[in-house]
Short mmCIF file of all heavy atoms in Angstrom, two decimals:
data_model
loop_
_atom_site.label_atom_id
_atom_site.label_comp_id
_atom_site.label_asym_id
_atom_site.label_seq_id
_atom_site.Cartn_x
_atom_site.Cartn_y
_atom_site.Cartn_z
N GLU A 12 -9.99 -3.17 12.71
CA GLU A 12 -9.76 -2.10 11.74
C GLU A 12 -8.38 -1.50 11.97
O GLU A 12 -8.21 -0.57 12.75
CB GLU A 12 -10.85 -1.03 11.88
CG GLU A 12 -10.80 0.04 10.82
CD GLU A 12 -11.90 1.07 10.99
OE1 GLU A 12 -11.84 1.83 11.98
OE2 GLU A 12 -12.81 1.10 10.15
N MET A 29 -18.34 8.54 5.63
CA MET A 29 -18.73 8.22 7.01
C MET A 29 -18.28 9.34 7.94
O MET A 29 -17.24 9.98 7.73
CB MET A 29 -18.17 6.87 7.44
CG MET A 29 -16.68 6.76 7.53
SD MET A 29 -16.20 5.03 7.87
CE MET A 29 -14.42 5.23 8.06
N THR A 30 -19.07 9.58 8.97
CA THR A 30 -18.87 10.74 9.83
C THR A 30 -17.98 10.47 11.03
O THR A 30 -17.55 11.41 11.70
CB THR A 30 -20.22 11.27 10.33
OG1 THR A 30 -20.92 10.21 11.00
CG2 THR A 30 -21.06 11.77 9.16
N ARG A 31 -17.71 9.22 11.34
CA ARG A 31 -16.89 8.93 12.52
C ARG A 31 -15.42 9.29 12.25
O ARG A 31 -14.99 9.39 11.10
CB ARG A 31 -17.01 7.47 12.94
CG ARG A 31 -16.52 6.44 11.93
CD ARG A 31 -16.71 5.04 12.50
NE ARG A 31 -16.43 4.00 11.53
CZ ARG A 31 -15.23 3.44 11.36
NH1 ARG A 31 -14.20 3.85 12.08
NH2 ARG A 31 -15.07 2.47 10.49
N HIS A 32 -14.66 9.44 13.32
CA HIS A 32 -13.26 9.83 13.23
C HIS A 32 -12.46 8.76 12.50
O HIS A 32 -12.71 7.56 12.66
CB HIS A 32 -12.69 10.03 14.64
CG HIS A 32 -11.23 10.37 14.64
ND1 HIS A 32 -10.25 9.42 14.84
CD2 HIS A 32 -10.59 11.55 14.47
CE1 HIS A 32 -9.06 10.01 14.78
NE2 HIS A 32 -9.24 11.29 14.57
N ASN A 59 -11.66 -3.06 8.03
CA ASN A 59 -13.08 -2.70 8.11
C ASN A 59 -13.31 -1.67 7.01
O ASN A 59 -13.50 -2.05 5.87
CB ASN A 59 -13.45 -2.15 9.49
CG ASN A 59 -14.95 -2.03 9.68
OD1 ASN A 59 -15.71 -2.73 9.02
ND2 ASN A 59 -15.38 -1.15 10.57
N TYR A 60 -13.16 -0.36 7.30
CA TYR A 60 -13.26 0.65 6.25
C TYR A 60 -11.99 1.48 6.25
O TYR A 60 -11.81 2.36 7.08
CB TYR A 60 -14.51 1.51 6.44
CG TYR A 60 -15.76 0.71 6.18
CD1 TYR A 60 -16.56 0.28 7.22
CD2 TYR A 60 -16.09 0.34 4.88
CE1 TYR A 60 -17.68 -0.49 6.97
CE2 TYR A 60 -17.20 -0.43 4.62
CZ TYR A 60 -18.01 -0.85 5.67
OH TYR A 60 -19.11 -1.62 5.42
N VAL A 225 -16.91 -6.52 15.44
CA VAL A 225 -16.00 -5.61 14.72
C VAL A 225 -15.41 -4.63 15.73
O VAL A 225 -16.14 -4.09 16.57
CB VAL A 225 -16.75 -4.85 13.61
CG1 VAL A 225 -15.85 -3.79 12.99
CG2 VAL A 225 -17.25 -5.81 12.54
N ILE A 226 -14.11 -4.41 15.64
CA ILE A 226 -13.46 -3.43 16.49
C ILE A 226 -12.83 -2.36 15.61
O ILE A 226 -11.93 -2.65 14.81
CB ILE A 226 -12.40 -4.08 17.39
CG1 ILE A 226 -13.04 -5.17 18.25
CG2 ILE A 226 -11.74 -3.02 18.28
CD1 ILE A 226 -12.06 -5.90 19.15
N ASN A 227 -13.33 -1.14 15.74
CA ASN A 227 -12.79 -0.03 14.96
C ASN A 227 -11.41 0.38 15.46
O ASN A 227 -10.98 -0.03 16.53
CB ASN A 227 -13.74 1.17 15.01
CG ASN A 227 -14.96 1.00 14.12
OD1 ASN A 227 -14.99 0.11 13.26
ND2 ASN A 227 -15.96 1.83 14.32
N HIS A 228 -10.76 1.22 14.71
CA HIS A 228 -9.37 1.60 15.01
C HIS A 228 -9.22 2.21 16.40
O HIS A 228 -8.17 2.07 17.04
CB HIS A 228 -8.86 2.58 13.95
CG HIS A 228 -9.45 3.95 14.07
ND1 HIS A 228 -8.85 4.96 14.79
CD2 HIS A 228 -10.59 4.47 13.57
CE1 HIS A 228 -9.60 6.05 14.73
NE2 HIS A 228 -10.65 5.78 13.99
N ASN A 229 -10.28 2.85 16.90
CA ASN A 229 -10.22 3.49 18.22
C ASN A 229 -10.70 2.58 19.34
O ASN A 229 -10.81 3.01 20.48
CB ASN A 229 -11.04 4.78 18.22
CG ASN A 229 -12.53 4.52 17.99
OD1 ASN A 229 -12.93 3.41 17.63
ND2 ASN A 229 -13.35 5.53 18.19
N GLY A 230 -11.00 1.32 19.01
CA GLY A 230 -11.42 0.36 20.02
C GLY A 230 -12.92 0.18 20.14
O GLY A 230 -13.37 -0.72 20.86
N ASP A 231 -13.72 1.02 19.48
CA ASP A 231 -15.17 0.85 19.55
C ASP A 231 -15.58 -0.51 19.02
O ASP A 231 -15.11 -0.94 17.94
CB ASP A 231 -15.89 1.95 18.75
CG ASP A 231 -15.89 3.29 19.45
OD1 ASP A 231 -15.54 3.32 20.65
OD2 ASP A 231 -16.22 4.31 18.81
N VAL A 232 -16.44 -1.19 19.74
CA VAL A 232 -16.88 -2.53 19.37
C VAL A 232 -18.28 -2.46 18.77
O VAL A 232 -19.20 -1.89 19.37
CB VAL A 232 -16.88 -3.46 20.59
CG1 VAL A 232 -17.39 -4.85 20.20
CG2 VAL A 232 -15.48 -3.56 21.19
N LEU A 233 -18.44 -3.01 17.57
CA LEU A 233 -19.70 -2.95 16.83
C LEU A 233 -20.20 -4.36 16.54
O LEU A 233 -19.42 -5.32 16.52
CB LEU A 233 -19.51 -2.21 15.51
CG LEU A 233 -18.80 -0.85 15.57
CD1 LEU A 233 -18.60 -0.31 14.17
CD2 LEU A 233 -19.59 0.12 16.42
N PRO A 234 -21.50 -4.51 16.27
CA PRO A 234 -22.03 -5.83 15.95
C PRO A 234 -21.58 -6.36 14.59
O PRO A 234 -21.43 -7.56 14.40
CB PRO A 234 -23.55 -5.63 15.98
CG PRO A 234 -23.75 -4.18 15.73
CD PRO A 234 -22.57 -3.50 16.36
N CYS A 235 -21.33 -5.45 13.64
CA CYS A 235 -20.91 -5.93 12.32
C CYS A 235 -20.34 -4.79 11.49
O CYS A 235 -20.43 -3.61 11.85
CB CYS A 235 -22.06 -6.60 11.56
SG CYS A 235 -23.15 -5.45 10.70
N CYS A 236 -19.76 -5.13 10.34
CA CYS A 236 -19.08 -4.14 9.50
C CYS A 236 -20.05 -3.21 8.79
O CYS A 236 -19.65 -2.13 8.34
CB CYS A 236 -18.20 -4.85 8.48
SG CYS A 236 -19.09 -5.95 7.36
N PHE A 237 -21.32 -3.60 8.68
CA PHE A 237 -22.27 -2.74 7.97
C PHE A 237 -22.69 -1.54 8.81
O PHE A 237 -23.30 -0.60 8.31
CB PHE A 237 -23.48 -3.54 7.51
CG PHE A 237 -23.14 -4.52 6.43
CD1 PHE A 237 -23.01 -5.87 6.71
CD2 PHE A 237 -22.92 -4.10 5.13
CE1 PHE A 237 -22.66 -6.78 5.73
CE2 PHE A 237 -22.57 -5.00 4.13
CZ PHE A 237 -22.44 -6.34 4.43
N ASP A 238 -22.35 -1.54 10.08
CA ASP A 238 -22.58 -0.38 10.94
C ASP A 238 -21.37 0.55 10.83
O ASP A 238 -20.63 0.76 11.77
CB ASP A 238 -22.78 -0.84 12.39
CG ASP A 238 -23.10 0.32 13.33
OD1 ASP A 238 -23.43 1.41 12.83
OD2 ASP A 238 -22.98 0.13 14.55
N TYR A 239 -21.18 1.12 9.64
CA TYR A 239 -19.93 1.84 9.36
C TYR A 239 -19.82 3.17 10.11
O TYR A 239 -18.73 3.69 10.28
CB TYR A 239 -19.76 2.06 7.85
CG TYR A 239 -20.90 2.77 7.17
CD1 TYR A 239 -20.98 4.15 7.17
CD2 TYR A 239 -21.88 2.06 6.49
CE1 TYR A 239 -22.02 4.81 6.53
CE2 TYR A 239 -22.93 2.70 5.85
CZ TYR A 239 -22.99 4.07 5.87
OH TYR A 239 -24.02 4.71 5.25
N ASN A 240 -20.95 3.72 10.57
CA ASN A 240 -20.90 4.97 11.33
C ASN A 240 -20.97 4.76 12.84
O ASN A 240 -21.20 5.70 13.60
CB ASN A 240 -22.03 5.90 10.90
CG ASN A 240 -21.59 6.90 9.84
OD1 ASN A 240 -20.42 7.27 9.77
ND2 ASN A 240 -22.52 7.34 9.02
N SER A 241 -20.79 3.53 13.27
CA SER A 241 -20.78 3.20 14.71
C SER A 241 -22.07 3.63 15.39
O SER A 241 -22.06 4.23 16.47
CB SER A 241 -19.58 3.86 15.40
OG SER A 241 -18.37 3.43 14.84
N GLU A 242 -23.21 3.30 14.79
CA GLU A 242 -24.50 3.62 15.39
C GLU A 242 -24.80 2.75 16.61
O GLU A 242 -25.47 3.19 17.55
CB GLU A 242 -25.61 3.45 14.34
CG GLU A 242 -25.52 4.39 13.15
CD GLU A 242 -26.61 4.11 12.13
OE1 GLU A 242 -27.76 3.86 12.55
OE2 GLU A 242 -26.31 4.13 10.92
N VAL A 243 -24.33 1.51 16.57
CA VAL A 243 -24.61 0.57 17.65
C VAL A 243 -23.29 0.18 18.31
O VAL A 243 -22.81 -0.95 18.18
CB VAL A 243 -25.36 -0.68 17.14
CG1 VAL A 243 -25.78 -1.57 18.31
CG2 VAL A 243 -26.58 -0.28 16.31
N ALA A 244 -22.69 1.12 19.02
CA ALA A 244 -21.44 0.83 19.72
C ALA A 244 -21.77 0.04 20.99
O ALA A 244 -22.50 0.50 21.86
CB ALA A 244 -20.73 2.13 20.07
N LEU A 245 -21.23 -1.18 21.07
CA LEU A 245 -21.53 -2.08 22.18
C LEU A 245 -20.62 -1.84 23.38
O LEU A 245 -21.00 -2.12 24.51
CB LEU A 245 -21.41 -3.53 21.71
CG LEU A 245 -22.35 -3.93 20.57
CD1 LEU A 245 -21.99 -5.32 20.05
CD2 LEU A 245 -23.80 -3.89 21.03
N PHE A 276 -29.38 -1.87 9.13
CA PHE A 276 -28.27 -2.24 8.24
C PHE A 276 -28.10 -3.76 8.10
O PHE A 276 -27.24 -4.22 7.37
CB PHE A 276 -26.96 -1.62 8.72
CG PHE A 276 -26.69 -1.77 10.20
CD1 PHE A 276 -26.28 -2.97 10.73
CD2 PHE A 276 -26.85 -0.67 11.04
CE1 PHE A 276 -26.04 -3.10 12.09
CE2 PHE A 276 -26.61 -0.79 12.40
CZ PHE A 276 -26.20 -2.01 12.93
#
Side-chain angles (χ1 to χ4, degrees):
E12 186 179 69
M29 64 186 185
T30 57
R31 63 180 172 90
H32 178 263
N59 191 24
Y60 291 105
V225 173
I226 302 179
N227 284 346
H228 73 93
N229 64 349
D231 284 348
V232 178
L233 310 176
C235 83
C236 60
F237 292 103
D238 183 14
Y239 56 83
N240 265 332
S241 301
E242 296 177 41
V243 186
L245 300 171
F276 47 75

